[in-house]
Amino acid sequence: MQRYLGFTHHFLLLTTSWLASSVLLTSPSQAATIALSQGSLLFTNFSQSPSSTFTNADTNVTSIFNGGDVATKADAIAYLGVTPPVGYSITSTQVFGENKDSIGLGRSKATIQGIFEADKNFSFNFSGELNLATLTNNPRQEGASVNGNLGFALINLANNKILDYFQVNGNLTTGDNDSLTYQNSSNVEFSAFSNYDLSESQEFYTSNFEGSLNHYFNNKTTVALVAFNSTEARVSTPTPSMLSGVILSWSVIMLGIKRKHIKNNEPC
């Protein structure tokens, strides 16, 4: 377990260093807007190995600038092994913009799916974290927003009924309401640690959690574990003249720059 946690932390340090490098290149006289969203999930100690697995990682970034500068980065990793039965997903989305007339948007998604033939008891441990941060020099003219959505669901494939679930959802938006919420079913036990620092121009949320799921069955049951991990970051310093161009180019924006990494052992 420590090995996979170490890999997660190493990945997040690499992506965060990219953001730090961008900040250092900014001139003190220029206005900078930064948005960062990172999420990770780790699953260990499964009561049994999955009979089949499917993972998917997807990223999408868009940068538009007219007199300003934007740098957008998105990464995603998804893995679910059979021997040993271990799974993890990592997403990281970062956007850095300076000066006026710039918009940057990044999205990262990672999905894990496993089929299990549960007999009497199905259990596993999980842990993860969600980090959200925004920075704006002028909140009235600049905008930054980030969000993250992490969790899992255990589904009975005989009737597609959700048996158990866990979800963490966080959102930060410049000059708007912010939130961080947890939801879980009765068979999911977890503990969480969260802290935050909120001000008009700088906002930061961090949440660490760990727990376990134990579900008992009367008969042998085929179940699917579906874990989701998505993060998004956006910055904008537009002027009215730029906004009209953005609206007219929306179809082009939606295409973005896509990069997909898909690993498919056997689809659910």
Side-chain angles (χ1 to χ4, degrees), residues 155-212:
I155 303 172
N156 185 340
L157 292 183
N159 53 18
N160 290 326
K161 179 181 178 181
I162 296 179
L163 304 174
D164 286 298
Y165 62 89
F166 173 77
Q167 183 178 22
V168 179
N169 186 274
N171 178 76
L172 288 180
T173 304
T174 303
D176 204 347
N177 294 328
D178 305 314
S179 64
L180 181 64
T181 60
Y182 298 89
Q183 297 181 17
N184 66 288
S185 60
S186 58
N187 289 318
V188 174
E189 296 183 358
F190 77 99
S191 59
F193 170 78
S194 302
N195 60 45
Y196 59 90
D197 183 13
L198 303 177
S199 64
E200 185 178 5
S201 61
Q202 301 180 37
E203 300 181 312
F204 178 77
Y205 265 147
T206 181
S207 173
N208 297 273
F209 53 87
E210 60 180 14
S212 62

Side-chain angles (χ1 to χ4, degrees), residues 16-257:
T16 304
S17 66
W18 174 87
L19 182 64
S21 300
S22 300
V23 174
L24 292 176
L25 292 174
T26 307
S27 170
S29 62
Q30 296 174 325
T33 309
I34 300 171
L36 167 66
S37 180
Q38 297 175 332
S40 64
L41 281 171
L42 175 65
F43 298 90
T44 59
N45 295 332
F46 283 94
S47 56
Q48 61 196 86
S49 296
S51 58
S52 63
T53 65
F54 171 82
T55 61
N56 180 72
D58 181 78
T59 61
N60 184 294
V61 298
T62 301
S63 298
I64 303 174
F65 49 92
N66 180 23
D69 295 310
V70 176
T72 307
K73 183 177 178 63
D75 293 284
I77 296 175
Y79 172 81
L80 180 59
V82 176
T83 307
V86 174
Y88 59 82
S89 67
I90 308 168
T91 61
S92 178
T93 310
Q94 306 160 48
V95 186
F96 169 80
E98 60 179 340
N99 298 324
K100 63 180 181 178
D101 294 353
S102 61
I103 294 177
L105 172 64
R107 294 188 179 99
S108 300
K109 295 182 180 180
T111 305
I112 297 173
Q113 300 179 22
I115 303 296
F116 297 82
E117 301 298 331
D119 188 9
K120 293 185 179 180
N121 177 54
F122 178 71
S123 63
F124 59 83
N125 295 338
F126 65 91
S127 61
E129 63 182 8
L130 176 62
N131 299 310
L132 305 173
T134 62
L135 169 65
T136 55
N137 282 341
N138 189 343
R140 295 184 178 182
Q141 297 182 6
E142 305 167 8
S145 64
V146 291
N147 64 68
N149 187 28
L150 317 177
F152 62 83
L154 184 66
I155 303 172
N156 185 340
L157 292 183
N159 53 18
N160 290 326
K161 179 181 178 181
I162 296 179
L163 304 174
D164 286 298
Y165 62 89
F166 173 77
Q167 183 178 22
V168 179
N169 186 274
N171 178 76
L172 288 180
T173 304
T174 303
D176 204 347
N177 294 328
D178 305 314
S179 64
L180 181 64
T181 60
Y182 298 89
Q183 297 181 17
N184 66 288
S185 60
S186 58
N187 289 318
V188 174
E189 296 183 358
F190 77 99
S191 59
F193 170 78
S194 302
N195 60 45
Y196 59 90
D197 183 13
L198 303 177
S199 64
E200 185 178 5
S201 61
Q202 301 180 37
E203 300 181 312
F204 178 77
Y205 265 147
T206 181
S207 173
N208 297 273
F209 53 87
E210 60 180 14
S212 62
L213 179 145
N214 286 278
H215 194 106
Y216 294 91
F217 298 91
N218 294 325
N219 302 301
K220 189 173 182 179
T221 307
T222 302
V223 297
L225 173 65
V226 181
F228 50 89
N229 180 349
S230 64
T231 55
E232 179 179 306
R234 178 197 303 263
V235 302
S236 61
T237 57
T239 61
S241 60
M242 183 186 180
L243 286 177
S244 60
V246 171
I247 294 174
L248 292 175
S249 304
W250 181 249
S251 59
V252 178
I253 296 173
M254 294 304 294
L255 293 177
I257 304 172

